[in-house]
Structure formats: C-alpha cells, structure tokens
Amino acid sequence: MLLVIPQVLSAQAVAHFRQRLEVADWVDGSTTAGEQSKLVKNNAQVAEGSPIAVELGDLVLDALGAAHLFVSAALPLKTFPPLFNRYAGGQSFGAHVDNAIRAVRGRPVRVRTDISCTLFLSDPNDYDGGELIIEGAFGSQEVKLDAGDMVLYPASSLHRVTPVTRGTRIASFFWVQSMIRDDGARAVLFDLDQAIQAHARAHGIDHALTLQLTNVYHNLIRLHADT
Ligand code: NI
C-alpha cells in the first residue's frame, strides 16, 4: 500500500527543522547505503547518530505518534531513528532496494524494514526534479509532496529519486517494522479501521455495530500481530 499522510508536521515545525538542519553536520549519503545502493546513491545526509539527527528524529517520532492515519496504516512495532537527506546540483538516487534489516547504531536493536517512509521538508516549488518514483503492482508512482507531508510504501518496492536540477530537496526518511508483516494483510486492516472510524462518525462510537466491528478489528490484530 502506498499512502500519503498529509501534514505530519505543521508549517511552523517544518521551519524549525529547516533552521536546525542548516547547522547540521552533513556527510556523504553513501555511508548508510548497502553495496548495490552505494553505486547509485548521490546525496548528502545528516550524520547518523549526530545530536541534530537525534533531536529532530525524536520530533519526527513524536509527530508520528500523533498522526492517527500513520498509526492505522503502519501499525508500527519499531521505527528506525529518522535520518535526513539533501539533494541539490543534479544529485539523484538511482533505482535500488532498501536493506531488509537495519541495525540501529549504538543500540542492540534491529528493525525489519516492512515500510519505507519519506517525510518531505522542502516546498516543492523551491526545487525541480527530486520526484520519488516507486515501482508497484500498478506501475510506477511519482511522489512529490508539500513540506510536512509524508508518504509510506512497501519497503519491498524498487524506488529511486530523480535528479534535483534546481534548488534543494530536503527530507527525512526511515523505516518501520510493522506488527503486521504482510503488506496485503495490513492494507485490509487499514481499510477495516477506516470503515469503523467512518461508521463511528456517522452513527456514534457507542453504536452497537461500531462496537461489534471494533471487536472484530482487535481480534484480527490479536490473531496476527507480532509484539
Ligand atoms: Ni531507498
């Protein structure tokens, strides 16, 4: 499932991120790439584990916790500490796959990358190119979002970022290990949750059918979730 989560960060929060990222310690993006990705990755990243990466990464995690659509769609078990990247001057990231397992730096934690996330931090009018192209069952999807908006998609998809030919594209990216490993099963649970929310809005959270469907939803999670 590919899903856009609008306004994960407010305009004010985006401005704060941009201000802090101005003074961050940027390094060559290939430092966190796998063998294949390294060949096609050409961008800059805030050094993993650096104070600003940790500070802003924690703010992203707080915002995600408050984003109901994200929680409903991702059913997160573990989230990799968010990283930050920058493309300018023709930089791009060719077609690649994300590593299946990522070790969290300095901690005995590994995250299975079920879902890839990109949180856009630049106004799309401020740069040309920089589209995130995601290959899926229905062909390739082109994603370029407003600052503060985020896309999530199956980490199993081949994807790339087209060259940024004008301006600068800054984003946060990270991976989620979901309680529901299978993308298709997760999509069905998301649809069910959205239907329950819609029913609750129309008929009340205490409506007998809302209660019954909520029970079904939680029993499905109970049956299939990793914890
Ligand atoms: Ni990637």
Side-chain angles (χ1 to χ4, degrees), residues 15 32 78 94-95 106-108 115 123 125 132 134-135 159-160 164-165 177 180-182 186 197 210 216 218:
T32 58
K78 291 187 254 183
R107 294 198 349 237
I115 300 167
D123 184 328
N125 297 314
L132 172 62
I134 301 161
E135 305 292 344
H159 55 277
R160 63 195 165 92
V164 173
T165 54
Q177 179 173 337
I180 305 295
R181 181 181 198 151
D182 182 74
R186 202 184 315 117
Q197 302 299 328
T210 307
V216 170
H218 282 277

Side-chain angles (χ1 to χ4, degrees), residues 209-227:
L209 187 57
T210 307
L211 182 64
Q212 206 173 356
L213 289 172
T214 304
N215 191 37
V216 170
Y217 176 77
H218 282 277
N219 284 335
L220 285 170
I221 299 274
R222 208 171 266 121
L223 273 173
H224 298 294
D226 299 327
T227 55

Side-chain angles (χ1 to χ4, degrees), residues 119-183:
L119 171 58
F120 288 73
L121 294 171
S122 294
D123 184 328
N125 297 314
D126 291 347
Y127 63 97
D128 289 335
E131 288 87 2
L132 172 62
I133 311 284
I134 301 161
E135 305 292 344
F138 300 107
S140 60
Q141 306 249 17
E142 195 176 294
V143 183
K144 185 170 180 174
L145 302 176
D146 286 342
D149 292 359
M150 186 176 99
V151 62
L152 58 85
Y153 58 98
S156 54
S157 326
L158 271 176
H159 55 277
R160 63 195 165 92
V161 175
T162 65
V164 173
T165 54
R166 177 187 64 91
T168 304
R169 176 199 195 267
I170 292 175
S172 176
F173 66 103
F174 51 92
W175 300 271
V176 176
Q177 179 173 337
S178 178
M179 290 187 283
I180 305 295
R181 181 181 198 151
D182 182 74
D183 184 66

Side-chain angles (χ1 to χ4, degrees), residues 37-154:
S37 301
K38 210 169 261 181
L39 303 174
V40 291
K41 187 174 186 183
N42 178 20
N43 66 7
Q45 271 175 212
V46 178
E48 196 178 0
S50 69
I52 291 183
V54 173
E55 168 197 321
L56 297 181
D58 285 347
L59 291 179
V60 172
L61 295 179
D62 288 348
L64 291 177
H68 296 149
L69 201 57
F70 167 78
V71 175
S72 175
L75 295 167
L77 177 61
K78 291 187 254 183
T79 303
F80 191 87
L83 297 168
F84 298 86
N85 62 16
R86 185 179 70 193
Y87 297 81
Q91 285 180 318
S92 64
F93 195 166
H96 67 281
V97 286
D98 293 344
N99 286 352
I101 306 288
R102 297 207 73 112
V104 177
R105 195 187 157 95
R107 294 198 349 237
V109 177
R110 289 195 290 181
V111 175
R112 186 186 65 226
T113 59
D114 297 326
I115 300 167
S116 291
C117 300
T118 299
L119 171 58
F120 288 73
L121 294 171
S122 294
D123 184 328
N125 297 314
D126 291 347
Y127 63 97
D128 289 335
E131 288 87 2
L132 172 62
I133 311 284
I134 301 161
E135 305 292 344
F138 300 107
S140 60
Q141 306 249 17
E142 195 176 294
V143 183
K144 185 170 180 174
L145 302 176
D146 286 342
D149 292 359
M150 186 176 99
V151 62
L152 58 85
Y153 58 98

